[in-house]
Structures are given as C-alpha cells and as structure tokens.
Amino acid sequence: MFGKLEIFRMASAMAKHAGTRQAAIAQNVANADTPGFKARDIASFSDIMSRRRDVTGQFATRPGHLNGALDPAQPEFRIVEAAADSPNGNSVSIEDEMMKSVDTQRQHERSIAIYRSSLNILRTSLGRS
Amino acid sequence: MSEFMKALSVSASGLKAQADRIRHVSENIANADTPGYRRKTVPFETEFSDGTIAGRVKAGRVTLDRSDLERIYDPSHPLADETGQYDGSNVDLIVEIADAREAQRSYEANLKMFDQARQMSSSLMELLRK
C-alpha cells in the first residue's frame, strides 16, 4: 500500500539516480590516466523526470514487457563532449569530477532527507512517534 | 549488484592501478644508478571483459623505455669500454618524481570517490535505523 506513495517513489528514484551517477564518476576518476578514455556522465535527474512527464506512450515496468522504454530512472552512460582532450586522448578532468561528485552526494542526501521526513509524517499519521 | 558496489569496485581498481604505478616508479628511482637499467612504464587500460562491471581500470603489461641509455665517463669502472665510458640507466629523476606526484594525486582522487560511495551507502543504511 505505501509502496505506491508517489513521494517515496520519487525519493528513491532520486537516490538511485545519485547512485548511478556516482558510479559513472568513479569510473571517470579511476580512468583519469587511461590513454584514450572519454569521460562519461548520465542525464540529470530533472531532465529524466521532465522527459518522463512528456512521454505519453507506454512504459515498460519489467524486462518482459514488449513496448515502451524500460525504467527511465536507470539512464544510459553517455560520453561527454569535452572542450579539450589531454595529449593522450583522455578527456577526464579531475576537478570537474570532484565538483560533480559533491553535487551527487548532496542530491543523495537530499533524497534521503525527503524520504525520512515523509516517513516521519507517515508514522505520525499512524499515531506513532 | 548495486550501483554503490560498482562504484566501490571501480574505485578500488583505480587505487590498485595507481599503487602499481607508484611501485614501478619507486623501482625506477631505486635503480637510477644501476648500469644498463631501462626504466619501466605502466600503461593503463580500461577493462571491458567483465560483463557486470564496466569501466574498471587495470595496469597493463609493463614495458621498457626504449630511449638511449646515458653514457657515463669513468675509466676506472669495471664495465667501462675502451673509450672509458659505460652505459648508465635511462631513468630521469625529474620525470619519475612528476610521475609519482601524478600517481599520488590520482590515488587521492580515487580514495575520495571510494569514501564518498561508502558514505552514501551508509547514510542509506541509516534510514533503516530507528
């Protein structure tokens, strides 16, 4: 029953997005010295959500469904167009990745704060403290 | 496997690769005065073989630097030839120190990523408490 509350779904999708982005950033940092490696990133959460609102067609909710895109909250890693590559063809900038990772961590904390606060409201409405 | 586990695993592979690199740098510096020693270089490559975790980095096959060895003039040296010179190593200490600095910087960045993924996952666990 509570699984269908939209705010919980939204908060967990946001946390999941932060986790995926963190994985992308970790990959970039780990490959910061690999020749020819291009930095990757995923679409921002607000982009994904607005895309989801615009789509009027079907959504696949499990892999067996034939139509629709599968789980838009699980976006693809895509290669970022960087302004300048280093001489060995690597486009990772550690400074950028640090900024992005701080951003991601804050997004994750935010989503957890939303989840916890909603949980508190739910608890209060059930008469527990 | 959760995204955090992937992030941790990728960061750990980065730590390992950088540690490997700094080990070879120290090997080069230790052998800077060894006659005939060629410096070792570690190429990094992205691992795609494992289907579950993409993007792990690994240190590839060690290759030797092919640049010319330094000729050192010392007629009393046992390895000296008729011109009084012998082959030193082709280790350039400045290059090695720069490489070590870069490895250290990348190691710290990977460590920070590892710590952050760990923090995120433990703050998620905090939700279950209470």
Side-chain angles (χ1 to χ4, degrees):
Chain A
M1 170 186 175
F2 298 127
K4 294 210 168 150
L5 289 175
E6 188 58 31
I7 189 144
F8 287 109
R9 282 179 51 193
M10 186 70 99
S12 67
M14 194 170 164
K16 203 172 167 191
H17 178 270
T20 312
R21 190 153 190 237
Q22 174 68 21
I25 296 167
Q27 187 178 334
N28 289 344
V29 173
N31 285 288
D33 296 325
T34 308
F37 184 85
K38 301 281 177 236
R40 278 136 228 244
D41 199 3
I42 59 176
S44 76
F45 185 66
S46 54
D47 277 1
I48 290 169
M49 279 301 134
S50 61
R51 209 189 306 152
R52 189 173 187 169
R53 222 177 294 124
D54 295 341
V55 173
T56 49
Q58 291 175 310
F59 269 116
T61 51
R62 61 180 74 162
H65 289 171
L66 293 177
N67 290 325
L70 189 69
D71 197 4
Q74 191 71 272
E76 292 272 304
F77 285 15
R78 58 183 163 73
I79 290 172
V80 184
E81 297 300 326
D85 290 1
S86 54
N88 64 3
N90 189 301
S91 74
V92 178
S93 150
I94 298 252
E95 293 78 13
D96 282 358
E97 301 303 325
M98 287 292 147
M99 292 294 289
K100 281 199 298 198
S101 79
V102 171
D103 218 33
T104 310
Q105 188 172 25
R106 306 206 64 158
Q107 181 189 334
H108 192 253
E109 274 168 15
R110 209 155 53 229
S111 69
I112 285 179
I114 292 168
Y115 197 97
R116 180 174 292 137
S117 145
S118 312
L119 205 60
N120 281 341
I121 294 172
L122 197 63
R123 278 222 179 90
T124 313
S125 68
L126 288 173
R128 296 178 193 167
S129 57
Chain B
M1 188 178 274
S2 78
E3 294 297 334
F4 290 133
M5 279 297 132
K6 279 186 206 168
L8 288 176
S9 153
V10 170
S11 294
S13 77
L15 291 174
K16 197 158 169 286
Q18 298 296 345
D20 217 30
R21 179 179 176 190
I22 206 138
R23 190 174 66 79
H24 281 103
V25 169
S26 55
E27 217 170 287
N28 288 344
I29 293 179
N31 283 292
D33 293 325
T34 308
Y37 180 85
R38 290 186 184 274
R39 66 182 285 261
K40 290 173 180 158
T41 55
V42 190
F44 284 174
E45 41 200 64
T46 312
E47 224 172 55
F48 286 113
S49 54
D50 193 344
T52 52
I53 311 165
R56 287 168 57 95
V57 65
K58 67 166 189 206
R61 264 178 78 93
V62 174
T63 50
L64 296 180
D65 190 337
R66 289 277 154 224
S67 62
D68 290 335
L69 299 172
E70 194 192 357
R71 300 286 291 165
I72 299 168
Y73 180 72
D74 184 2
S76 65
H77 197 276
L79 290 173
D81 55 14
E82 57 273 16
T83 60
Q85 290 178 319
Y86 68 98
D87 285 334
S89 72
N90 61 356
V91 177
D92 185 353
L93 284 178
I94 303 289
V95 171
E96 298 304 327
I97 297 291
D99 212 26
R101 268 297 150 85
E102 199 187 33
Q104 185 186 14
R105 177 169 165 264
S106 300
Y107 192 92
E108 276 169 10
N110 274 301
L111 197 59
K112 191 162 159 40
M113 287 296 117
F114 189 93
D115 191 44
Q116 186 167 322
R118 199 187 53 75
Q119 270 177 26
M120 281 164 83
S121 127
S122 66
S123 68
L124 198 60
M125 287 299 155
E126 281 286 304
L127 266 186
L128 292 177
R129 293 173 65 177
K130 208 168 41 168

